[in-house]
Amino acid sequence: MSRARKADAKAGPDPAAEAFAEGMRLVRANRALAAIGFSVCRQEKCAGAPRDGLVAVDSDGVLHVDPTRRAEPAAWAWAVAHAVIHLGFGHVPAAVGEREQPDPFDLAARCVVVNRFLLGFPVGLTPENLPDAYPDGDEERLAASWRRDGIPPRYERCGTAGGAPDQLLVPWKTWNGGTAPDWQVAFAHALTRTMATAMDMAGGRRASMRGGPTLLQPWERALSWFVSSYPLLGGVAAGITLVADAELARAHGISVAAVDTGAAEIYINPLRSFSDEEWRFVLAHEMLHAALRHGDRCGARDPYLFNIAADYVINGWLCEMQIGTMPEGLLYDPDLKDLSAEEVYDRIAGDLRRMRRLATLRGKGAGDILGGPLGSPRDYVDLDEFYRRGLARGLDLHQQQERGFLPGGLVEEIRALSQPPLPWDARLARWFDEFVPRPEPLRSYARPSRRQAATPDIPRAGRWFPPEEIARCTFGVVLDTSGSMDRTLLGKALGAIASYAEARDVPAARVVFCDAAPHDAGYLQVTEIAGRVRVRGRGGTVLQPGIDLLHRADDFPPGAPVLVITDGYCDVLRVRREHAYLIPQDARLPFTARGPVFRVR
């Protein structure tokens, strides 16, 4: 052994080095500070180390420390945190070329801002000689004020280098390779991840914040990545609940994952072993199912086949956007690129036998879009608004920050969601405006106007409505009065019809009540239709005879439209004139409707 090593061995441990190492351990336990890639120079000949203080930081991310300086570990932790936050706040940005050092006013203002932040972000122990409160305002405002009025004595030595500057601007060493780092962006991302972890803990997704990200399961890390690093789906991910229950997945046949859009829950099988990248793909797949409302867009189509079609579209988008890694066995076909889910459905609907053998993330023969929550019921928010707002805001952030390529079809669908569809009553009003004519008055001197009292010697033509004009402005109503009809549906539908008909000066409507047989009520004033309705409850609904009755009626104009109000439990209808349907929100007609369908909420 050499003489120097023998001397070191006899000298024993270095208390200064041990205290500094313990202080560094306290700093690196803070995930936000540890994420900033700073380094430490603690050499005897370090020119940047302060002789009358603890730490100075330069724009290369190097913390300069005097190895002979002694302090308690908590004091070291506070000083190092102060220097690292200078990096995070952009006070010493990395840049190439000659640098102009900040003046004393900038130095003091920046130290005050950092110390004020550390009051609410405690690391280590704050020195006793520092103030307990600091003035409001950012660095630029404080520095400008102090240039004018002078630095208050209590804020002159708030740094960590004693009387020397604790912030050093040096040229970025280009020979090290790479580009100059952005310490401010790194700190912002680290704070975002810390807040996401705190939200996970508050929401019960994890029990503690200690121990770093290894406490999170891979699917939880994937969800946190969307919140912190992928703005397009970050807003949706923040409101999604992950349910990782192996027994629940087994009971409901969930092979990998499934989503319930109404409950804003994604059910995953925790027994599946995927990498973080694969879990990102799986979660993005389910979130797009929910946000794009694929369950509601199915309409009268086969739900499982529409689920398959939506899977092809979503998986194609995610591969184009390079979000995670697609697990083996998922549905993907490059030939279906740039097609919507409806277009893909039309292509695959002709081969039902083969398509029913395909597997979604839930498994073979089962769709991963669930019709209801698997857990206990709870209060839900307006999910249409939640998904629409989350995707729209995420798209804006994604494009503003230039976070990568997005398929045109996905952008088009998100923009379409930003313009929500009109409610059923507004669409019904438009239908009335288009197909139910308003009676046009005529002018005739045979009926003098009454509004001539001021000038009785000047004749004026009066307004009147010919009988044929009044008869032309009407419509037919075929009303399902079977026992299955919901009285709430009848009330909403008839109330809307009455209000719109009155607004258009429609004097009467031709009404036919139908259950097992048609019952012609003739022409009724629109305000009296609701009072004449009587639910008969005589078995199934047969509406076609009521339609035929209106077709054959001599007193019903050939151009008048027909409005059919039913709950969907009816026969197949053939209407040979302009018509529309009023049905409940969750009902389906047993045939392909030729006219518009208004779903009453």
Side-chain angles (χ1 to χ4, degrees):
M1 182 181 295
S2 65
R3 294 182 179 180
R5 291 185 178 179
K6 289 181 180 180
D8 291 341
K10 292 180 180 179
D14 183 359
E18 290 180 349
F20 178 77
E22 177 63 18
M24 288 295 298
R25 188 191 66 79
L26 296 176
V27 171
R28 296 193 184 278
N30 187 298
R31 298 173 63 192
L33 298 179
I36 301 179
F38 64 90
S39 59
V40 177
C41 176
R42 196 169 176 270
Q43 300 176 359
E44 293 184 1
K45 297 181 179 180
C46 179
R51 301 306 174 188
D52 190 26
L54 295 180
V55 182
V57 60
D58 66 25
S59 53
D60 280 349
V62 179
L63 275 59
H64 301 274
V65 179
D66 187 347
T68 62
R69 186 75 175 176
R70 292 194 178 189
E72 294 296 326
W76 277 119
W78 183 89
V80 171
H82 179 104
V84 173
I85 293 174
H86 273 311
L87 287 172
F89 280 6
H91 295 163
V92 280
V96 179
E98 294 298 326
R99 312 296 300 278
E100 182 180 352
Q101 301 300 322
D103 60 24
F105 305 100
D106 281 329
L107 292 171
R110 293 169 183 174
C111 287
V112 163
V113 169
V114 170
N115 291 348
R116 188 176 63 198
F117 177 79
L118 282 172
L119 292 178
F121 191 77
V123 178
L125 182 64
T126 305
E128 296 181 354
N129 62 329
L130 292 181
D132 296 330
Y134 295 93
D136 295 330
D138 56 14
E139 302 93 322
E140 290 78 7
R141 184 179 302 177
L142 290 175
S145 173
W146 291 346
R147 287 191 186 94
R148 183 182 63 251
D149 304 327
I151 303 175
R154 59 185 308 193
Y155 302 131
E156 286 183 341
R157 297 173 65 93
C158 289
T160 57
D166 63 350
Q167 307 155 49
L168 308 174
L169 297 179
V170 297
W172 169 250
K173 299 178 178 63
T174 55
W175 59 82
N176 288 337
T179 58
D182 193 332
W183 311 112
Q184 195 170 1
V185 171
F187 186 56
H189 288 175
L191 281 180
T192 303
R193 289 192 294 270
T194 303
M195 291 301 297
T197 304
M199 291 174 63
D200 289 342
M201 186 180 67
R205 293 189 182 128
R206 59 181 297 175
S208 173
M209 292 180 66
R210 294 177 298 175
T214 56
L215 290 179
L216 289 176
Q217 296 292 342
W219 52 84
E220 294 173 330
R221 291 198 296 270
L223 189 68
S224 298
W225 178 82
F226 283 105
V227 175
S228 63
S229 304
Y230 200 76
L232 177 67
L233 295 174
V236 178
I240 285 287
T241 301
L242 289 183
V243 180
D245 189 328
E247 289 299 320
L248 190 68
R250 182 190 59 81
H252 294 276
I254 299 176
S255 174
V256 178
V259 62
D260 177 67
T261 59
E265 292 178 343
I266 295 178
Y267 305 94
I268 62 175
N269 186 352
L271 302 181
R272 295 302 298 262
S273 179
F274 286 147
S275 65
D276 288 6
E277 292 291 320
E278 289 174 323
W279 278 116
R280 288 179 189 178
F281 191 98
V282 170
L283 295 186
H285 178 104
E286 300 298 351
M287 284 190 288
L288 284 176
H289 268 320
L292 296 176
R293 311 300 283 164
H294 283 154
D296 296 336
R297 287 168 50 185
C298 176
R301 303 176 181 89
D302 182 276
Y304 175 71
L305 289 184
F306 190 78
N307 198 152
I308 291 289
D311 278 7
Y312 275 118
V313 174
I314 287 178
N315 293 341
W317 286 342
L318 295 179
C319 289
E320 287 186 63
M321 294 186 290
Q322 298 180 356
I323 297 180
T325 302
M326 183 171 65
E328 293 184 3
L330 295 193
L331 303 175
Y332 176 70
D333 188 347
D335 294 337
L336 301 177
K337 182 181 178 181
D338 298 332
L339 296 180
S340 66
E342 289 78 7
E343 292 171 327
V344 174
Y345 178 90
D346 293 338
R347 289 197 179 190
I348 67 176
D351 192 0
L352 300 182
R353 180 174 298 179
R354 186 178 72 86
M355 290 301 162
R356 292 198 177 276
R357 294 197 297 266
L358 299 178
T360 67
L361 283 173
R362 186 179 179 186
K364 184 178 294 186
D368 59 340
I369 305 174
L370 303 177
L374 302 183
S376 58
R378 57 187 177 90
D379 295 331
Y380 303 125
V381 298
D382 184 355
L383 289 164
D384 277 332
E385 178 63 23
F386 163 70
Y387 289 126
R388 186 161 50 242
R389 184 177 63 248
L391 270 186
R393 180 57 179 161
L395 177 62
D396 292 338
L397 290 175
H398 195 99
Q399 292 179 337
Q400 290 173 7
Q401 300 177 11
E402 298 180 354
R403 300 302 293 269
F405 169 78
L406 293 178
L410 176 59
V411 175
E412 183 179 348
E413 289 206 14
I414 295 176
R415 292 302 187 198
L417 285 176
S418 302
Q419 304 294 328
L422 290 174
W424 68 272
D425 49 352
R427 295 175 58 221
L428 178 62
R430 288 189 174 184
W431 184 80
F432 268 93
D433 289 339
E434 184 175 358
F435 297 108
V436 179
R438 185 189 298 270
E440 297 294 337
L442 298 180
R443 294 282 185 178
S444 174
Y445 285 97
R447 295 174 178 266
S449 175
R450 299 176 184 176
R451 292 177 294 181
Q452 58 178 4
T455 57
D457 54 335
I458 302 176
R460 290 179 173 84
R463 295 171 68 251
W464 71 295
F465 294 92
E468 61 274 11
E469 182 68 17
I470 296 177
R472 182 180 67 89
C473 302
T474 187
F475 60 95
V477 179
V478 177
L479 185 57
D480 183 352
T481 56
S482 62
S484 61
M485 277 295 290
D486 183 12
R487 289 172 172 80
T488 303
L489 168 66
L490 285 175
K492 290 182 178 180
L494 295 177
I497 291 172
S499 62
Y500 297 142
E502 278 193 308
R504 299 194 60 77
D505 298 326
V506 176
R510 184 66 183 271
V511 181
V512 179
F513 300 126
C514 289
D515 42 33
H519 306 275
D520 189 5
Y523 279 96
L524 298 177
Q525 292 187 3
V526 291
T527 56
E528 296 180 1
I529 298 177
R532 298 286 297 274
V533 172
R534 182 164 63 92
V535 177
R536 301 171 183 270
R538 292 172 51 189
T541 306
V542 182
L543 298 180
Q544 187 61 45
I547 300 294
D548 295 339
L549 189 152
L550 291 179
H551 285 164
R552 295 192 301 265
D554 295 333
D555 58 346
F556 190 60
V562 175
L563 190 61
V564 181
I565 305 176
T566 180
D567 57 359
Y569 298 102
C570 62
D571 53 334
V572 177
L573 299 182
R574 295 178 300 276
V575 187
R576 296 188 300 273
R577 63 172 69 216
E578 187 60 46
H579 63 285
Y581 300 91
L582 271 175
I583 64 175
Q585 172 66 26
D586 54 351
R588 292 182 180 178
L589 293 173
F591 53 87
T592 301
R594 300 287 183 179
V597 179
F598 306 119
R599 299 184 178 274
V600 181
R601 292 181 179 272

